[in-house]
Amino acid sequence: MDSPVPRPPAVRAQNVGNADSTWSDPEDRVEELGRLVQGIEPKRGPRGEPGERGERGVPLVKWLGITCYQMFYVCLNTGMGVIVLPLEAARFHQENPSIWVGVYMGVSGSTQLICPVIGKISDQHRSSWGKRRPFILSGSFLAVLGLLAMWGASKYLLPAFFLISLLLLQLAVNGVYAAQCGLPADFLSVGSEGSEKSVVSGLVAMYTFLGSLTAMTIIILTSTAPIQVHYGIYTAAISLACAVICCSATESSSLGSASTTLTFTELRRTYVIDVSKDADFFWVCAGRMCYYMSTSVATFMYFYFRDMLHVEEEARCKAVIGSLAILMQCVGMATSLPLGRLSNRLGRKPMIYLSCMFMVCTFILYILAPLVPSLSWPAVVAAAVFYGIGSGAYLSVDYALALDCLPEGKTSAEALGLWGVVGFFGSTLGPILGGYLLSLAQGAKVAVSDKVSDSTTGSYPFMGYALIMLVLGCFMNFLVIVMTTRIRGVR
């Protein structure tokens, strides 16, 4: 384990101007007025912006509202990746659906590229509603339009229109995500300690698991319903999340902020990390990309259960996937908060190492399950438990680690937008590589035992799934460990 190093500087609070709307205690106002009467400058942040009251902190209820978009975001992407897109690919493109699943995931992931730009623009946006909320409102409206368009394309079997609608939806939800990512850093108090960051990171982890849990519950409850039902549920969910965030994030008007014009060069720099100055943030992002490449294996679990465990009925397959995923999320949610607190004592990096070890065990069990039919289901259940622990360990420190390593010269929303891009860049590359490996194995017609796979048209052989588990699963988690060891400023 690396030797302990001094605690990094606190995250830079952004100029949100929400102090008056947050702190209504008369003593606070009298104190500030007294300072002004005596000619003493008000408390300010490191760059001269009005500072938050670090000694008071943000109430937990407010943090719950500010970070709740994470739950919808994960619910949408989990439902899309696990069930909606694979089934739509099978309906639209019956010959080779795995390739089209990769295409759909590629389109979804590529839209993450707008996150740093939207974050940069929102940092300097001027409006009476503040900096972030206009983007959250407009993005949510466009996302509703995208979901309605996808419903129509699915109902009337319009594959080209479906692809365009998916692009619109993902651009909108990622735009909202980029603006919302800046809110926690905006409201973190100047001089906030690691414990406050751990609270935010713990809530993000909790919402991540709740989002996945909600997605799987929806899958189970709608297992016999048409796939189009999902689009209506997601429409209601994003509308509710938008309302909660806008009511919780009480930003004051940013019309008085200094007006600056963004140049193309500045926008281009939002995608660049200066490794000489911000090596830690670079390795955080690189490790995050590899981790999310490993979790993208979930995209192919529908095909895995169909071909390896012979769960061929669609409704039963969806129910099995949903039940196992609920088990994963419950385990992850139960372990994330305790492990997050433990990371304050042991450090962030040991939690990453623990996570990767459990994830590797998960993928090995998925490889072994079809080889021993009598133990297939116990192995799959054990894999679900291990995945939950591994995911809980990683997510308990994921956001806090990013806050600890924020780069110089970038605003919080800009940096966290880039941090989000690399994660979903991994989620994009994973399904593309996995789809290629499955198709390659099917094309080569690998000879396997009848106990492992049959020759049914449209099924994939054992070797394809073994390659996915080894390359996307085990190897990528090994890379996460290697990259995390390169982080020097955090223990």
Side-chain angles (χ1 to χ4, degrees):
M1 182 183 299
D2 296 336
S3 58
V5 298
R7 186 181 297 279
V11 63
R12 299 184 298 276
Q14 305 300 316
N15 181 15
V16 182
N18 64 337
D20 288 343
S21 59
T22 305
W23 314 121
S24 57
D25 192 333
E27 293 183 7
D28 290 337
R29 296 180 180 274
V30 170
E31 177 191 354
E32 194 67 21
L33 181 59
R35 293 174 63 86
L36 292 173
V37 169
Q38 297 173 37
I40 302 174
E41 280 292 316
K43 297 179 182 179
R44 294 187 176 273
R47 291 179 298 177
E49 73 274 16
E52 303 283 356
R53 296 194 179 275
E55 66 272 12
R56 296 292 295 273
V58 177
L60 179 61
V61 173
K62 192 165 188 171
W63 279 132
L64 286 167
I66 290 172
T67 56
C68 74
Y69 185 75
Q70 181 74 9
M71 180 175 175
F72 164 76
Y73 193 63
V74 172
C75 178
L76 174 73
N77 286 307
T78 300
M80 287 284 178
V82 174
I83 287 294
V84 176
L85 295 183
L87 287 183
E88 296 288 26
R91 294 175 67 235
F92 290 135
H93 310 281
Q94 299 180 7
E95 294 182 357
N96 205 342
S98 69
I99 293 295
W100 279 97
V101 170
V103 171
Y104 290 153
M105 295 300 292
V107 168
S108 300
S110 65
T111 60
Q112 277 280 320
L113 292 173
I114 71 167
C115 287
V117 173
I118 296 297
K120 182 78 171 179
I121 295 173
S122 70
D123 281 326
Q124 302 185 22
H125 183 66
R126 302 170 65 203
S127 79
S128 59
W129 273 64
K131 297 190 297 184
R132 316 293 183 191
R133 288 188 292 181
F135 291 88
I136 294 172
L137 282 169
S138 58
S140 298
F141 176 74
L142 291 175
V144 169
L145 292 181
L147 286 166
L148 294 177
M150 289 178 70
W151 174 85
S154 175
K155 183 174 180 63
Y156 297 103
L157 294 177
L158 304 171
F161 187 57
F162 180 85
L163 189 61
I164 295 172
S165 302
L166 175 64
L167 177 63
L168 172 62
L169 170 67
Q170 293 295 339
L171 284 171
V173 296
N174 284 316
V176 176
Y177 177 78
Q180 184 271 337
C181 269
L183 284 174
D186 289 345
F187 282 85
L188 277 170
S189 58
V190 175
S192 60
E193 296 296 329
S195 59
E196 190 172 8
K197 297 175 188 176
S198 296
V199 169
V200 177
S201 188
L203 289 177
V204 171
M206 181 192 74
Y207 276 131
T208 298
F209 289 117
L210 282 176
S212 295
L213 189 62
T214 302
M216 293 306 138
T217 302
I218 292 171
I219 289 172
I220 292 175
L221 295 178
T222 62
S223 60
T224 58
I227 194 64
Q228 292 83 14
V229 170
H230 287 259
Y231 304 123
I233 295 174
Y234 297 144
T235 298
I238 191 172
S239 301
L240 178 61
C242 175
V244 172
I245 296 170
C246 289
C247 291
S248 301
T250 50
E251 297 178 278
S252 295
S253 171
S254 60
L255 290 175
S257 302
S259 178
T260 57
T261 302
L262 292 176
T263 64
F264 177 77
T265 301
E266 288 178 313
L267 293 178
R268 182 174 57 84
R269 286 175 182 168
T270 61
Y271 297 99
V272 178
I273 300 174
D274 187 345
V275 180
S276 63
K277 296 180 180 179
D278 303 306
D280 282 354
F281 188 70
F282 171 80
W283 291 117
V284 168
C285 290
R288 193 169 196 262
M289 182 185 74
C290 292
Y291 173 80
Y292 278 98
M293 283 189 72
S294 74
T295 62
S296 67
V297 169
T299 304
F300 302 98
M301 294 311 292
Y302 177 85
F303 301 126
Y304 174 85
F305 285 108
R306 182 195 68 185
D307 299 337
M308 295 295 99
L309 301 184
H310 309 292
V311 184
E312 298 177 358
E313 185 183 351
E314 180 180 311
R316 181 167 177 256
C317 191
K318 290 198 290 187
V320 167
I321 293 174
S323 300
L324 289 174
I326 287 176
L327 174 61
M328 292 179 190
Q329 305 313 321
C330 288
V331 172
M333 193 160 48
T335 57
S336 61
L337 291 178
L339 291 176
R341 290 177 183 151
L342 187 62
S343 72
N344 286 329
R345 289 187 293 171
L346 300 182
R348 318 285 191 204
K349 292 162 69 174
M351 292 300 105
I352 302 292
Y353 304 147
L354 178 68
S355 165
C356 292
M357 288 188 289
F358 274 98
M359 297 294 278
V360 168
C361 292
T362 296
F363 297 118
I364 291 176
L365 285 172
Y366 279 133
I367 294 174
L368 296 177
L371 298 176
V372 187
S374 60
L375 298 177
S376 292
W377 288 107
V380 167
V381 171
V385 173
F386 283 5
Y387 186 98
I389 298 173
S391 184
Y394 186 89
L395 293 175
S396 67
V397 297
D398 184 28
Y399 194 81
L401 188 61
L403 290 176
D404 287 340
C405 300
L406 282 177
E408 298 179 5
K410 289 185 183 294
T411 60
S412 58
E414 178 187 353
L416 292 172
L418 184 59
W419 171 78
V421 165
V422 296
F424 285 88
F425 191 54
S427 298
T428 301
L429 288 177
I432 292 175
L433 178 58
Y436 172 75
L437 292 174
L438 277 183
S439 297
L440 185 67
Q442 185 186 45
K445 297 181 179 179
V446 180
V448 292
S449 170
D450 289 338
K451 293 182 179 180
V452 176
S453 179
D454 55 34
S455 58
T456 304
T457 302
S459 65
Y460 297 104
F462 170 76
M463 186 57 65
Y465 294 106
L467 285 173
I468 285 179
M469 301 300 173
L470 288 173
V471 175
L472 289 183
C474 299
F475 181 64
M476 288 302 157
N477 277 279
F478 171 75
L479 289 182
V480 174
I481 293 176
V482 172
M483 293 172 181
T484 303
T485 61
R486 303 296 299 273
I487 300 172
R488 302 302 181 192
V490 180
R491 64 184 179 91

